Amino acid sequence: MYVCVCVCVCVRTCVVMRLLTAPANAQIVHSGAACNVKDDNISERIYTIKEGDTLVLQCIVKGHPRPQVRWTKTAGSASDKFQETSIYNETLRIEGIQRVQGGRYYCKADNGVGVAAIKSIRVDVQYLDTPVLTVHQTISDVRGSYYQEKTVFLRCTVNSNPPARFIWKRGSMLIEQSKDNGVDIYEPLYTQGETKVLKLKNLRPKDFADYTCQVSVRNVCNIEDKSVTFRLTNATTPPMIRLSVNDTVVADPGQDVFLTCEVAAGFPVPTVIWSRYPGPLPLSAKVRGATLILRAVTPADAGFYNCTAVNNVGNPARKNVNLVVRTMSNLTFQITPDSNKDSESIQMGRDLKLSCHVDATPQDKVNYTWYKNGAPVFNSDSLILLRSDPDMAPGTSSLEIVDMKFRDLATYSCVANFPGSRVPELRVDVNISQNSVFPPVLAVPTGGQIVSVREGGNAELVCLVVDGKPRPPVLWSRTEKDLLMPSGSPVVETPDGRLRLKNVSRDMMGAYRCQTAPYNGLNIKRREAQVQLNVQYPPILDPVFQDMRSRNYQMVTLRCAVLRSNPPRLTDIRWFRNGDFIRMPMPDLKETPELKFKLEPTNNGSYECRVSNSAGTSTCTFNVSAQPYNAEFYFDTPNPVRILKGNNYSYNLQWTQKEPEATDRIIGYWINVRTQIDLKGKEPERGVLMSHTITDLRIPLSYEVRLAPITTYSTGDYVSRIIQYSEPYTYPRPSDHVCGFEDERICGFSQDRSDIFDWTRQNHLTQNPKRSANTGPETDRSGTKEGYYMYIEASRPRVQGDKARLLSPLFNVTSVRGPKGSGRVPYCVSFYYHMKGKHIGTLNVLLRVRSIASVDSVIWTKSGHQGPDWKKAFFDINPSGPFQIVFEGIRGPSFEGDIAIDDVSITVGKCKQENTVASAGKTGKIEFFVSGKWEKKIK
């Protein structure tokens, strides 16, 4: 844990400049449950992971300005959604990775300098499914009952990565083709997945047995072998089924439906599975054995239901049932005058047709009945019934009146129903008389041809049927055929001809067509009109906001461009500075609004251009100043270097200046308000990296550093960053670096997987408040509450003798001889240990040298209580090759046996003689910036 405070660092001025020439570059690191990481022959990293584990890929990037990271993927399944999107994040994490997510992952880092950096890693997802075993016969050999044929095939199929190895067994005995002439094992062509076939030739009595297909990927990623067993007998037969219902079942809403799939044959006994297309089975569906029960069906339950019987012999048996649920709605009528005479009104002596249509399922099962003044209509010379009118939409019934007479003037009724169904019937009445049917007249009210409305308001478009009987509904659509109505549909029906639009936006603007519907009225040429919707909105300006920086006493021009406006005529243009109106001659309303002035220290501020039309006012805002742009920290600062004298470290703060030429000359920088960095006459340049070394920082505290550029007239805004002590997590070689375990990566140390339990990283702030006070350290060896150390916890469930091992990174020693042939190169291992408690066990330090086989040898050991203080141990080693240091903690007889270590170092050369008692930490003074003022704290 780090304590972040703002400090004043009093140092002598030191400014270093160098040209930043490195563009973005990237490196991929990975974590998660890796089975194997290797390089192929083109030096590409291959990351192997087990299906279901967590994949974590991190893109470590360098370059300034800080690059933007983008992840993409190729060479995976087309169903992988990651291919369709890009992940803009340095870390890519996939929980429960699936096989389709394998492939090549690319990390692209781009900061606009030079060529973007791209790194890739191939992720190989390993898996092994349970195999499927099926039994088949040679069709040409079918004679009599199933297993009197000569040849039987046992086909075993599995999906795996890497390719699986197959083993066949009869009972518990391995089947080897070379030792049994009655079998043949081969791989068939054109199969999906990996397949092995066991062919039993000229079936023998001993061939009736249990057969096991065992598959293995040789324990890669700890994937265990899987197998499937099938018992072959002389009764084995493929499945056969029959349905208890017809291929199509028609039901009323609310009715219970029972579908039974009866198994007629098959051994082993087939398993019956019900499914539905499209979509899954309804939530209310119940499966009892071979019967599917659908309670109180609704139209949403309609579809194809599939029954499949499987016993892995031959091909599965399948049957389908189409469930249709009756529905009926929207009964409409049409009146068609004599089409042969091109008439639009009914006339005596002419033909007339009445049509009736209902939207129904199933459409062909609808029954139409016609009535005249309440009495059923039968076919005659003057009245002709058409069950399905070929001139109309399918499922339409018509009544034709031939050579209309006065006796034919009456009220005609059309009734639609499903015979024998509980679905309610629908009825429509049509009154035919000399003054009850005449063509409609469509009209737009005066002044309604153009409807104007402000954006965000409501509008009503009106198109009325002012005459005609019966009056049909009015249909609305856009005149541009590719545009939909605001509701998202191509056509909207209005019974009264009024189209109401809410929250009108500018994309709704345009022409709308209104038409009489061809139903519920005369079936004649449509009446049509248009209404124009005009949406008014305030001016659209550019820029909405702009930050403008300039040198003092130079001319500045502010332009506010009008991109669009409705109405286009502007009514007013006004300029404001810091909210106050700027008095100036009235600008030309037809030109781009513009303001010119000389920038001075007194007229910096916020400028607004307010442009108005009759619909409203919009604003361009400009923040105008001579204030320099912010500095930009260089993120890739190397790890801080520890100062060997005292418990301090230094930090090399680096930054670049954004657009240094835009404002007055930058003469220096304020760092944390109190200290000025003097540039000594040299101006910052774009792309030039500046640096300043901050010293006397205490390990392992974190600090907030604030930095602001200074010009002759002003100071820029402060930018801040948190700097913190961190340690490198790998050792390229043994060095003078001391690992205090302050970073979560613990300097590249790792837990030994072969031990019983792990070492724990902890500091005073993360200690368990209920822990025993008689064992373990209070703080790290420097005495700070924030400092971390590693320890073993001796409480339950630990028992005496349990071991925890902590492994150092592997040191690749390239030289095995010292100077002037003095033998192997010596190395000094030093560390602090804390062994307080009456039950302390043993702390061993082992040297593990890598050669043909790794060899561990104890090079230091200590047992029992060693007092309440941290103590230092150091000793020389002379490894014969690449080596690791192993810290082994062994639990003592009871819980007061915590052992801790801290500040481990491994250096080249022999150890210097030092005092083995650690200092508890020295008291010093440091200044903190707290609540706006500087205070001194005792540390």
Side-chain angles (χ1 to χ4, degrees), residues 60-88:
I60 304 300
V61 295
K62 297 181 180 180
H64 190 74
R66 187 175 183 86
Q68 183 184 48
V69 175
R70 178 187 179 194
W71 286 96
T72 56
K73 175 182 175 294
T74 61
S77 167
S79 63
D80 187 1
K81 297 299 182 183
F82 182 62
Q83 290 180 291
E84 302 172 6
T85 60
S86 296
I87 305 298
Y88 291 92

Side-chain angles (χ1 to χ4, degrees), residues 548 550 553-560 573-577 582-585 587 591-600 603 607-609 622 624:
M548 294 194 64
S550 174
Y553 306 108
Q554 288 191 352
M555 293 300 298
V556 175
T557 301
L558 309 181
R559 292 186 179 87
C560 185
I573 299 175
R574 299 192 179 196
W575 286 91
F576 295 80
R577 181 177 66 233
I582 301 177
R583 298 187 179 276
M584 56 187 297
E591 295 183 358
T592 299
E594 186 176 279
L595 177 64
K596 294 183 178 180
F597 61 95
K598 180 183 290 187
L599 182 64
E600 299 178 357
N603 61 5
Y607 287 76
E608 290 184 356
C609 177
F622 303 87
V624 183

Side-chain angles (χ1 to χ4, degrees), residues 4 200 294 450 535 823 923:
C4 296
L200 304 177
L294 303 173
I450 299 178
V535 181
T923 302

Side-chain angles (χ1 to χ4, degrees), residues 126-128 158-166 194 216-218:
Q126 310 276 280
Y127 57 91
L128 176 64
V158 70
N159 293 311
S160 70
N161 182 34
R165 178 178 60 184
F166 291 79
E194 299 171 57
S216 170
V217 289
R218 291 161 291 283

Side-chain angles (χ1 to χ4, degrees), residues 257-260 274 281 285-288 290-294 305:
V257 175
F258 296 82
L259 306 177
T260 301
W274 280 99
L281 290 174
K286 304 290 184 183
V287 178
R288 294 180 182 173
T291 301
L292 175 66
I293 304 172
L294 303 173
Y305 288 81

Side-chain angles (χ1 to χ4, degrees), residues 730-775:
T730 57
Y731 286 97
R733 61 182 298 276
S735 67
D736 293 336
H737 181 78
V738 177
C739 177
F741 304 110
E742 306 303 336
D743 192 280
E744 291 182 358
R745 296 169 293 186
I746 58 174
C747 319
F749 278 74
S750 61
Q751 309 283 355
D752 189 346
R753 295 185 178 181
S754 65
D755 58 11
I756 304 300
F757 68 112
D758 289 340
W759 288 78
T760 303
R761 177 174 172 266
Q762 180 177 270
N763 66 6
H764 177 80
L765 302 175
T766 60
Q767 288 176 354
N768 185 346
K770 297 181 180 181
R771 72 184 184 91
S772 173
N774 300 320
T775 187

